[in-house]
Amino acid sequence: MTIPQVADEVAGVAEASPRRGALRRFRRNPAALASLVFLFLVILAALFARPLSGHDPNQIDLLAARAAPGGEHWLGTDSTGRDVLSRLLFAGRISLGVGILSAGLAVVVGTVLGGLAGLLGGWVDGLVMRAADVFMSFPSLVVIVVIAGVLGPSVVTMIIAIGLFQWPVCGRIVRGVTLSLREQEYVLASRATGAGPVWLLRRHIIPAALPPVSVAATLAVAQAIALEATLSFLGLGVQPPSASWGNMLTDAQSLTVIRSEPWLWLSPGVAVALTVLAVNFIGDGLRDAVDPRQS
């Protein structure tokens, strides 16, 4: 075996050891493991909603309106006779989709802007950080409600609005990582050979920032799911007849429904609460795994 081959093998072992350590620490977190299994089952249930429910989520049957949970309708029916279980499973697609896509948008925007701010410095850094301060100074829910009221409620508007108000967290993380790396010898050597900001981001900054960014992305998914449920409950998110966990809760606004028909609000409420809690536990587990000092 030649010396370069030995060096490559040692470098591979050194790179794999932190990953194995992080995976081992994550496995030792029972709450994070249980939450990961639960979230995986929720995603599977959303993907296979039709064969699992056996009903059309938008099929109206007035003769079976407000039926209690039973053999044909396991979670009962709503005020128009639609199957609650079917709507709950199909709603998971939209709620999870909004959470994942908006968090992905926040990660992409935050990574690019934070990396460029850290690499270029000067007025670019000041402009990006002041923009982040502006976005973080406003209550996101209030601004998103205004945007939805002006542009009209839709899933696309909701994803863009939530994503744009979540990027500052990721941007600050990537900027901090960039500031700690830009004076390292290998980054200076890359710059000396003519490497540009895009190449440095792709080869050095993003791989180094991936562990903390993955934690921030996980927590952003949980926040986005909760925001989607809130906006849909207020009538500014997913519009009927499409189902989301938030607009399913709108059927339970009256005190009579809350008391006499708990199946209309209990299942979507529990779905939102458990999903957000599970994603937060996964984020905590990832944080402890990538940074042992947090344990």
Side-chain angles (χ1 to χ4, degrees):
M1 183 178 293
T2 63
I3 292 178
Q5 289 175 339
V6 173
D8 291 341
E9 186 173 347
V10 171
V13 172
E15 184 179 358
S17 296
R19 295 178 182 177
R20 285 199 293 265
L23 183 60
R24 183 170 58 252
R25 287 188 293 271
F26 186 84
R27 288 175 178 174
R28 291 176 180 173
N29 191 327
L33 276 180
S35 299
L36 187 62
V37 173
F38 173 79
L39 187 61
F40 179 71
L41 293 177
V42 170
I43 294 174
L44 282 182
L47 291 176
F48 298 98
R50 189 169 298 278
L52 287 176
S53 64
H55 292 276
D56 186 339
N58 298 322
Q59 183 178 359
I60 296 175
D61 184 5
L62 297 179
L63 297 179
R66 301 186 186 278
E72 185 177 357
H73 302 284
W74 290 1
L75 293 180
T77 60
D78 62 8
S79 58
T80 58
R82 296 174 296 188
D83 183 71
V84 173
L85 175 60
S86 177
R87 292 182 63 77
L88 183 73
L89 296 178
F90 277 91
R93 295 182 179 182
I94 295 180
S95 297
L96 292 173
V98 169
I100 294 172
L101 291 177
S102 59
L105 177 62
V107 167
V108 172
V109 174
T111 300
V112 173
L113 294 181
L116 291 177
L119 283 175
L120 301 179
W123 67 269
V124 176
D125 186 17
L127 180 63
V128 172
M129 288 300 99
R130 297 297 76 77
D133 292 339
V134 170
F135 275 92
M136 297 182 71
S137 64
F138 289 99
S140 59
L141 179 60
V142 175
V143 179
I144 293 172
V145 166
V146 173
I147 293 174
V150 173
L151 300 180
S154 69
V155 176
V156 176
T157 301
M158 188 164 45
I159 291 173
I160 295 175
I162 294 175
L164 291 181
F165 272 89
Q166 288 183 328
W167 75 264
V169 176
C170 183
R172 288 180 177 274
I173 293 174
V174 176
R175 175 181 177 268
V177 173
T178 306
L179 291 176
S180 67
L181 291 180
R182 71 178 184 179
E183 301 302 327
Q184 297 292 327
E185 288 81 0
Y186 62 92
V187 177
L188 293 176
S190 299
R191 281 183 162 180
T193 58
V198 176
W199 192 92
L200 292 173
L201 277 174
R202 183 170 56 88
R203 294 299 298 271
H204 296 314
I205 304 303
I206 293 178
L210 193 58
V213 166
S214 62
V215 177
T218 306
L219 300 178
V221 170
Q223 184 180 3
I225 292 174
L227 281 173
E228 182 278 324
T230 303
L231 291 170
S232 296
F233 177 76
L234 295 174
L236 297 172
V238 179
Q239 298 299 299
S242 298
S244 77
W245 290 335
N247 65 20
M248 288 181 68
L249 291 171
T250 58
D251 291 336
Q253 294 187 49
S254 67
L255 187 60
T256 303
V257 173
I258 294 176
R259 289 180 175 178
S260 60
E261 301 168 5
W263 61 87
L264 293 181
W265 59 266
L266 189 59
S267 54
V270 170
V272 172
L274 290 183
T275 303
V276 171
L277 192 63
V279 176
N280 279 321
F281 276 137
I282 294 172
D284 290 340
L286 286 175
R287 182 194 59 194
D288 296 340
V290 300
D291 187 1
R293 294 173 299 178
Q294 297 288 343
S295 300

